[in-house]
Amino acid sequence: MNKKIRNSNMELLRITAMIMIIIYHITYHCVTDQISDMQYVGANIFSKPVFYKKLFLIEGVLPWGMLANSIFILISGYFLVERGKNVNLGNISQKLLLQLGTAAISLTLISSVFYKIHLAGENTSVKTLSIIDFNYMSWFVGYYFIVVVIACLFINNYINKLDQTSYRNLLLVWLGLFSFMWSGNVLDNIGDGLRTIICGLFMFELGGYIKKYNPFDKIRTVVLILLIIITYGFIYLSYVNNVNDSIHEYIANSVTEPFSQPFIRFDNYGIIPVILSVTIFELFRRVKIKNSKIINFLGSSTFMIYLVHDNEFWWNLWKERDWISLLTDTSFGYCKM
């Protein structure tokens, strides 16, 4: 039996996506919470109805989690779509279950020991985990698995029989279904999360389409980089507009409570994460690097890292850090606009 050969450029992309997810989780679960919680020491730094340039740093990170999720699914589709039904879903399930079990057991032990040695008796929000968290850990595992199961059992064989035009048109139909507000709402009314699943299937089959037809071959790398810059330009412009609208509403209504900074949140099916994930995927696909055992090993470990870090133990442990002071003490300075 031939040993599976890993693509180091794709493994490097997995590592990059995992780093982005970790930074996103710290930002989403800790930094923004501290900024909006007026009970937290230092939260009043950003509690005035003023636009703070420093918060561009926060808004710039908020799409990372969703686009990184899409990257993981794109990578899987890139390698699995062409195999049709010839994918051992039992092996995939077994691997995920083993990783989930290892993470649950490890976190139960680590959090218990950590609490016993360092935090017992102290006023802290850090929580221990238990083995029953096996069934409630990282939502992405279930999302990823159901996308792979549906694609491999019901879609891959069909889609591999299509010509390029029909394949592209099906992808465009899926893109429209989860992108349009009303059709997206209908999907979620049929079944909670169905809109996200359709987006996942789109990303999975798009990965196969990219491998089979190389549709972005004639697009120069500099254009892809410019697309990322332009997309971020619209993210920041939208953020500025959103904050200014909130400031005007705050002043017009003569609100006396502290001002709550309004960050723009992103969904997995949002057009911004879709554009960024596809663009970054294509950039890494073009990277020419030698096969690296170190990169391949780290890349193969990313799912385990996802499971270990995405839980209340780490979120609450991160919250022990004063992220607001770290933000205000950076070399960018404390700026207003």
Side-chain angles (χ1 to χ4, degrees):
M1 184 176 181
N2 293 331
K3 188 176 180 181
K4 181 179 178 181
I5 299 175
R6 291 183 174 271
N7 256 340
S8 289
N9 60 329
M10 287 299 171
E11 298 308 316
L12 183 61
L13 177 55
R14 289 186 206 269
I15 296 167
T16 302
M18 193 67 260
I19 293 172
M20 295 176 79
I21 287 172
I22 293 172
I23 296 173
Y24 163 77
H25 281 151
I26 293 174
T27 303
Y28 183 84
H29 292 292
C30 305
V31 185
T32 57
D33 281 358
Q34 289 181 359
I35 289 174
S36 61
D37 183 5
M38 290 302 112
Q39 301 300 315
Y40 185 82
V41 177
N44 62 337
I45 292 176
F46 297 107
S47 65
K48 299 176 181 62
V50 176
F51 188 98
Y52 298 96
K53 292 179 181 178
K54 186 62 65 65
L55 298 184
F56 272 133
L57 295 172
I58 306 301
E59 188 58 48
V61 170
L62 291 179
W64 287 10
M66 308 311 160
L67 75 88
N69 289 341
S70 292
I71 285 173
F72 277 116
I73 294 177
L74 270 168
I75 293 172
S76 293
Y78 186 78
F79 292 110
L80 296 181
V81 170
E82 65 181 2
R83 291 165 60 181
K85 286 187 176 181
N86 297 321
V87 176
N88 194 326
L89 294 174
N91 279 351
I92 293 175
S93 179
Q94 176 179 291
K95 183 178 179 180
L96 292 175
L97 287 169
L98 286 173
Q99 289 177 325
L100 198 59
T102 302
I105 292 170
S106 301
L107 286 166
T108 299
L109 295 173
I110 292 171
S111 64
S112 300
V113 171
F114 189 88
Y115 184 86
K116 189 74 173 178
I117 296 176
H118 297 283
L119 302 173
E122 296 183 12
N123 183 20
T124 178
S125 60
V126 175
K127 296 181 180 179
T128 56
L129 298 180
S130 66
I131 195 62
I132 63 172
D133 288 300
F134 171 90
N135 296 107
Y136 303 99
M137 294 177 69
S138 184
W139 73 276
F140 181 73
V141 180
Y143 170 44
Y144 172 84
F145 187 60
I146 199 169
V147 166
V148 173
V149 168
I150 293 173
C152 294
L153 288 182
F154 306 108
I155 300 175
N156 287 354
N157 272 0
Y158 166 75
I159 209 165
N160 283 329
K161 296 176 183 178
L162 300 178
D163 58 31
Q164 183 175 2
T165 300
S166 299
Y167 195 155
R168 184 186 65 240
N169 287 340
L170 180 58
L171 290 175
L172 288 172
V173 169
W174 282 348
L175 178 62
L177 279 175
F178 69 77
S179 295
F180 301 138
M181 180 189 70
W182 199 82
S183 57
N185 289 339
V186 168
L187 289 173
D188 272 337
N189 286 333
I190 293 172
D192 188 28
L194 183 56
R195 186 178 191 177
T196 302
I197 291 174
I198 296 298
C199 175
L201 290 171
F202 166 80
M203 302 306 296
F204 189 88
E205 302 297 343
L206 177 60
Y209 183 85
I210 291 172
K211 185 172 186 179
K212 187 173 184 178
Y213 296 112
N214 196 13
F216 308 119
D217 182 50
K218 295 182 179 179
I219 300 178
R220 296 172 61 186
T221 299
V222 67
V223 175
L224 296 175
I225 295 173
L226 283 174
L227 180 57
I228 293 175
I229 294 172
I230 291 170
T231 302
Y232 257 91
F234 278 103
I235 291 173
Y236 286 135
L237 177 60
S238 300
Y239 173 61
V240 170
N241 291 340
N242 190 42
V243 174
N244 285 336
D245 286 343
S246 296
I247 290 173
H248 293 154
E249 183 178 351
Y250 180 93
I251 295 173
N253 293 330
S254 301
V255 180
T256 56
E257 289 82 12
F259 180 71
S260 179
Q261 293 293 333
F263 296 103
I264 297 175
R265 311 288 182 170
F266 297 85
D267 295 304
N268 282 279
Y269 51 77
I271 193 62
I272 293 298
V274 168
I275 291 173
L276 290 175
S277 61
V278 173
T279 307
I280 293 171
F281 177 85
E282 178 63 19
L283 285 173
F284 272 83
R285 200 172 71 91
R286 298 179 180 191
V287 173
K288 304 297 182 183
I289 59 175
K290 292 182 179 180
N291 194 48
S292 167
K293 291 183 179 180
I294 295 176
I295 291 176
N296 293 348
F297 172 76
L298 292 175
S300 66
S301 306
T302 52
F303 225 99
M304 191 65 188
I305 295 171
Y306 202 128
L307 291 171
V308 169
H309 93 278
D310 187 21
N311 52 76
E312 281 193 291
F313 170 68
W314 284 105
W315 301 341
N316 286 284
L317 185 60
W318 288 331
K319 286 179 182 178
E320 298 290 304
R321 179 72 167 85
D322 182 2
W323 296 100
I324 295 180
S325 294
L326 181 64
L327 180 65
T328 55
D329 290 341
T330 57
S331 59
F332 292 99
Y334 178 61
C335 305
K336 297 181 181 180
M337 181 171 70

